[in-house]
Amino acid sequence: MSGSLTTALQPQAQEEEDAAGPAFLTEMDYEPAPTFITAQVTNLPTLTGSTLAEDYVRFLVTSSHQPKPLCYDVPVATKLRLLTDSSSEFSMNGELKLYGGKGFKEIALHYKTDHHLILSTSEIHYSDGQNPVKFGWGQQPTKYERDSVSLILKNDEVDVTMGSVRVVFLLHQQDGDVFLWPAVHQLPKGVTLQGILGKTDVQYEQLPQSRIRIKDQELPADEGTATDYGRASAPSVDCWLVPLRFVLQEELSDFTVSQL
């Protein structure tokens, strides 16, 4: 179905898809979104000092061997390198919102030379270098395929597969604020990934007096909460609040970009 566009799914087919999911996406080696990074604004003090609620977005990263995930704050309006796989020529960057402090205002994906996908809170643009297509949030269920790229739109979600990377983008509306959040569902195996979403399943050791150790470093952590925006229900999650450079073992500047 190269280049085909289906604007309305038949009721029976839609019910079957709701029950089982798209057939070509059923085989996944990765756990759903909660394994990956999610975020929320906070007005709690961080280890680098108190912050105003609108100044930071809170990210969450889980550990497979600990019941409580780690969380850290990133300044609003930052343009972030979210995920890069140089072996498949895939990259994803996003810009955090300046106001509201809950998520992203725009996210851009680039695959190989010609494939580009731009998501904002108002619309979605895709181009394969020749045929630009525009979609709207909340439109009728839509499936679009081109080469090794697949887009499935349904309500406030866009399920995107580019090569061996699959990301579900959610549009959240909360307290009058509208923002995007990416939930990574599938990544290539045996590949070193760059970007803030490439730092998954961080292993840490919990020590007495609320201290956390990662590799040969340790420091005191604060008890915090983060919202898992990688889920449509956006549940609140308890977490250990630590500095970004401690949990990711890099500086914020290592994850920033000048343009999307």
Side-chain angles (χ1 to χ4, degrees):
M1 291 180 59
S2 178
S4 62
L5 177 63
T6 302
T7 58
L9 302 178
Q10 293 298 325
Q12 181 178 355
Q14 182 64 49
E15 292 175 1
E16 294 174 355
E17 181 173 318
D18 289 342
F24 58 88
L25 293 176
T26 54
E27 296 296 329
M28 292 190 299
D29 296 320
Y30 283 78
E31 295 296 327
T35 304
F36 299 92
I37 298 176
T38 52
Q40 147 176 5
V41 64
T42 178
N43 57 2
L44 296 175
T46 68
L47 297 178
T48 57
S50 298
T51 63
L52 298 176
E54 65 271 17
D55 286 345
Y56 284 80
V57 174
R58 179 159 296 180
F59 283 70
L60 173 74
V61 58
T62 61
S63 173
S64 59
H65 300 297
Q66 294 288 352
K68 184 181 290 189
L70 301 175
C71 53
Y72 57 89
D73 293 337
V74 176
V76 297
T78 304
K79 294 181 179 178
L80 292 170
R81 178 182 293 107
L82 299 178
L83 197 62
T84 300
D85 177 15
S86 57
S87 64
S88 66
E89 299 179 77
F90 172 88
S91 66
M92 178 170 66
N93 302 319
E95 181 177 359
L96 295 172
K97 294 192 65 176
L98 176 60
Y99 302 106
K102 294 184 178 69
F104 293 85
K105 62 176 290 187
E106 186 172 284
I107 299 175
L109 293 83
H110 308 284
Y111 179 56
K112 297 189 180 298
T113 304
D114 300 322
H115 299 278
H116 306 282
L117 178 66
I118 310 296
L119 302 98
S120 70
T121 56
S122 58
E123 55 191 14
I124 301 149
H125 291 265
Y126 169 74
S127 174
D128 62 357
Q130 296 180 344
N131 304 301
V133 182
K134 183 172 73 173
F135 305 98
W137 294 98
Q139 69 175 54
Q140 290 181 314
T142 303
K143 178 179 177 181
Y144 184 87
E145 293 180 317
R146 169 72 70 175
D147 300 330
S148 54
V149 174
S150 169
L151 282 69
I152 300 174
L153 292 84
K154 181 181 176 183
N155 300 324
D156 290 335
E157 296 185 10
V158 182
D159 193 323
V160 177
T161 300
M162 289 186 169
S164 56
V165 177
R166 180 185 172 215
V167 185
V168 176
F169 298 90
L170 299 99
L171 181 72
H172 289 281
Q173 302 183 50
Q174 189 176 79
D175 301 327
D177 188 24
V178 182
F179 57 95
L180 301 171
W181 198 262
V184 179
H185 282 238
Q186 180 173 298
L187 293 172
K189 290 183 176 181
V191 176
T192 300
L193 300 169
Q194 304 298 319
I196 204 165
L197 296 187
K199 303 292 184 177
T200 63
D201 193 21
V202 175
Q203 302 302 312
Y204 73 89
E205 181 182 358
Q206 182 177 344
L207 304 174
Q209 299 180 336
S210 300
R211 296 184 67 84
I212 299 295
R213 175 186 293 157
I214 298 179
K215 297 182 178 179
D216 58 347
Q217 301 179 7
E218 66 176 74
L219 49 68
D222 293 336
E223 293 188 6
T225 60
T227 300
D228 187 350
Y229 288 124
R231 292 177 177 269
S233 59
S236 180
V237 179
D238 292 333
C239 59
W240 290 113
L241 179 59
V242 294
L244 175 150
R245 64 181 178 276
F246 176 69
V247 63
L248 300 184
Q249 301 288 297
E250 294 185 68
E251 299 293 333
L252 175 61
S253 59
D254 296 320
F255 300 101
T256 57
V257 295
S258 59
Q259 59 185 12
L260 301 186

